[in-house]
């Protein structure tokens, strides 16, 4: 499996198992299956509501002895309601307890958006906290503390635009090591990738397959289907692979990590095997031509002008 490297040289496998939208009942077997077929990178988050089930899987696999804790790279994310400096450590402790781990390999600030601590998902202005009330630098500084205490080996952000990265970097002691964002052939985000590369920030792509299993409320009408794109179907035919595998190989060509979600054994394996595909430059150029800046996760669910949240991606 192709690896990328953090600034200190630590490796991360490019293909990880995504767990957003995985039911707790299914995710345990999915993680066990993934580790069996060779995944060594699991992506989790507190808000996905399934970290305890992932923890059961990890415990079962690690106690069998063949795969050790240090062999697996595990990511989790700080939810929006724990941005206050004093809430950051307890949030990670809860995640570590659920995952049955002593440390996390990578901890990400999930969104550049803050909620009141007692609110899981803000829907009204008084449930948000503005970035004047809790500046991102306050949250980030607390995350730096997690790293200096060894509870998080690496720290980073998610859903940060170039504008937000620049603003944060101008104030921080240590620059984020990862930015996890939506990426796929209809949303190439070339400028963001080049900014991250210039600043030694690794990038992970989420929703690489279009996240068709999102809740209906998160879907727009007439969304494109990545598997049905003619140029993806043509590449799949040429390489003798599935469309999903081409969609994943796209990220490896671009030096990004990618975290396809599946809870089905066959697809978990199929997605892992995309790691063996090297797309030719001309095929990538063809795929790249069809970028249209289309987001499946459009971010409007965090619009709250009264609290200064508008256009979370600064587009
Ligand atoms: P399932 O979990 O039933 O396998 P994303 O990673 O972009 O969020 O997309 C996840 C969606 O894609 C899920 O509905 C998942 O279904 C489906 N999926 C995952 N792997 C494949 C694959 N190899 N072929 C087709 N669909 C897949």
């Amino acid at each position: 499996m192709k690896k990328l490297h953090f600034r200190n040289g630590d490796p991360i496998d490019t293909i990880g198992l995504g767990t957003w939208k995985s039911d707790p009942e299914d995710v345990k077997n999915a993680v066990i299956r993934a580790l069996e077929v060779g995944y060594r990178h699991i992506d989790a988050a507190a808000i996905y509501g399934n970290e305890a089930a992932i923890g059961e899987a990890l415990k079962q696999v690690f106690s069998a002895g063949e795969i050790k804790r240090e062999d697996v790279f595990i990511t989790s994310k700080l939810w929006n309601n724990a941005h206050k400096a004093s809430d950051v450590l307890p949030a990670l402790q809860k995640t570590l307890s659920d995952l049955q781990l002593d440390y996390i390999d990578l901890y990400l600030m999930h969104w550049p958006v803050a909620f009141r601590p007692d609110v899981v998902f803000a829907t009204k202005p008084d449930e948000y906290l503005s970035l004047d009330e809790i500046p991102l630098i306050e949250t980030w500084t607390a995350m730096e503390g997690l790293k200096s205490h060894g509870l998080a080996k690496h720290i980073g952000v998610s859903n940060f635009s170039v504008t937000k990265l620049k603003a944060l970097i101008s104030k921080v002691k240590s620059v984020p090591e990862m930015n996890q964002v939506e990426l796929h052939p209809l949303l190439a985000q070339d400028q963001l990738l080049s900014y991250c590369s210039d600043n030694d920030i690794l990038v992970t792509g989420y929703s690489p397959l279009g996240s068709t299993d999102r809740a209906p409320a998160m879907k727009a009408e007439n969304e494109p289907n990545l598997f049905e794109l003619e140029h993806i179907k043509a590449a799949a035919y040429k390489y003798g692979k599935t469309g999903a595998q081409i969609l994943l190989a796209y990220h490896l060509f671009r030096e990004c990590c990618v975290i396809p979600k599946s809870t089905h054994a066959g697809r978990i394996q199929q997605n892992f095997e995309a790691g063996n595909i090297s797309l030719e430059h001309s095929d990538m150029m063809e795929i790249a031509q069809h970028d249209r800046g289309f987001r499946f996760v459009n971010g409007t669910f965090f619009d709250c002008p009264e609290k200064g949240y508008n256009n979370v991606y600064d587009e």
Side-chain angles (χ1 to χ4, degrees), residues 182-201:
E182 179 178 338
L183 286 181
H184 44 71
L186 297 183
L187 183 67
Q189 304 220 57
D190 288 335
Q191 272 190 315
L192 179 68
L193 260 59
S194 121
Y195 178 83
C196 288
S197 165
D198 290 348
N199 288 278
D200 277 334
I201 302 169

Side-chain angles (χ1 to χ4, degrees), residues 52-291:
I54 295 173
E56 286 174 27
L58 296 174
K59 185 180 178 195
Q60 187 172 313
V61 171
F62 296 152
S63 53
E66 205 168 302
I67 301 173
K68 299 189 176 49
R69 164 67 185 97
E70 56 272 27
D71 299 333
V72 185
F73 191 101
I74 303 164
T75 301
S76 183
K77 312 185 190 85
L78 178 77
W79 186 235
N80 304 353
N81 62 1
H83 273 215
K84 273 176 67 174
S86 56
D87 291 338
V88 172
L89 173 61
L92 178 58
Q93 283 169 330
K94 167 79 169 99
T95 274
L96 290 177
S97 155
D98 284 346
L99 292 173
Q100 306 196 40
L101 301 176
D102 301 327
Y103 68 90
I104 200 85
D105 294 276
L106 174 63
Y107 203 45
L108 304 177
M109 194 188 316
H110 206 147
W111 288 90
V113 175
F115 299 161
R116 268 186 6 219
D118 58 321
V119 172
V120 175
F121 210 102
T123 53
K124 301 191 280 268
D126 76 322
E127 295 178 333
Y128 285 84
L129 296 171
S130 72
L131 294 181
D132 292 330
E133 290 169 285
I134 305 194
L136 296 173
I137 183 65
E138 172 180 330
T139 312
W140 182 254
T141 304
M143 291 179 67
E144 288 176 333
L146 303 177
K147 184 175 171 186
S148 65
H149 286 98
L151 291 172
K153 300 276 183 209
H154 300 279
I155 52 174
V157 295
S158 181
N159 296 300
F160 270 52
S161 63
V162 171
T163 306
K164 291 210 172 59
L165 281 171
K166 276 187 183 164
L168 185 66
I169 289 174
S170 69
K171 301 181 192 124
V172 297
K173 272 199 262 162
S174 59
V175 173
E177 298 174 87
M178 175 71 79
N179 189 16
Q180 183 179 123
V181 296
E182 179 178 338
L183 286 181
H184 44 71
L186 297 183
L187 183 67
Q189 304 220 57
D190 288 335
Q191 272 190 315
L192 179 68
L193 260 59
S194 121
Y195 178 83
C196 288
S197 165
D198 290 348
N199 288 278
D200 277 334
I201 302 169
L202 298 180
V203 177
T204 296
Y206 72 70
S207 295
L209 306 176
S211 288
T212 45
D213 53 347
R214 274 165 299 135
M218 277 193 73
K219 287 189 174 180
E221 266 175 46
N222 301 322
E223 283 187 348
N225 180 330
L226 298 179
F227 299 115
E228 293 301 322
L229 298 173
E230 287 307 326
H231 53 288
I232 298 300
K233 290 206 282 193
Y237 180 74
K238 173 175 167 180
Y239 288 82
K241 303 290 179 185
T242 67
Q245 289 177 314
I246 299 298
L247 289 167
L248 300 176
Y250 162 87
H251 298 270
L252 310 193
F253 189 98
R254 286 159 40 99
E255 301 288 318
C256 291
C257 292
V258 62
I259 46 167
K261 171 266 175 183
S262 180
T263 48
H264 287 91
R267 288 170 173 176
I268 288 172
Q269 175 153 10
Q270 184 194 122
N271 295 346
F272 185 73
E273 288 169 358
N276 300 325
I277 306 170
S278 290
L279 293 178
E280 288 169 27
H281 190 261
S282 56
D283 295 317
M284 272 303 287
M285 292 305 99
E286 171 61 24
I287 293 174
Q289 273 185 25
H290 298 271
D291 174 26

Side-chain angles (χ1 to χ4, degrees), residues 22-37:
S22 296
D23 287 338
E25 306 80 66
D26 301 328
V27 79
K28 181 176 174 187
N29 282 337
V31 170
I32 292 171
R33 177 71 187 153
L35 293 170
E36 274 169 8
V37 304

